[in-house]
Amino acid sequence: MIDFANNYPAGWATPPADRLPKAWTDKLASIQLPDVPVSNPNNGYPTYSNGKAGSDPSICSFTYECTTEDDLHTPPDGVWAVRTSCLR
């Protein structure tokens, strides 16, 4: 029997980089995040210090009902999609 518990880091600890799958680290290295400041809540809607709105194409927040062609906003029958907010 494999002892899976010993392969995990302690709670809330960062796992050592040499134990992460290479496909994961390659994918993380390929992601370029946009230059968008962290949002602040404003009556349930995020606001940004640079004056951009959540509906701006560089942010495209689901909170503002913004979607892109890559989003599975209304998936086809038989497909299940998790709705998340992400920066564009």
Side-chain angles (χ1 to χ4, degrees):
M1 177 178 252
I2 298 173
D3 182 10
F4 289 103
N6 284 327
N7 290 319
Y8 287 89
W12 301 108
T14 301
D18 65 343
R19 308 245 342 242
L20 296 174
K22 185 169 179 352
W24 293 6
T25 56
D26 288 351
K27 181 61 178 175
L28 286 172
S30 75
I31 297 171
Q32 293 182 339
L33 296 176
D35 186 20
V36 177
V38 174
S39 67
N40 295 303
N42 183 10
N43 293 320
Y45 288 88
T47 57
Y48 302 87
S49 59
N50 63 358
K52 287 189 176 183
S55 58
D56 185 281
S58 67
I59 298 172
C60 196
S61 170
F62 272 25
T63 303
Y64 290 90
E65 298 182 17
C66 179
T67 60
T68 69
E69 63 185 40
D70 295 331
D71 293 328
L72 285 176
H73 186 266
T74 308
D77 288 344
V79 174
W80 185 78
V82 176
R83 184 175 175 165
T84 63
S85 294
C86 62
L87 300 176
R88 290 276 175 204

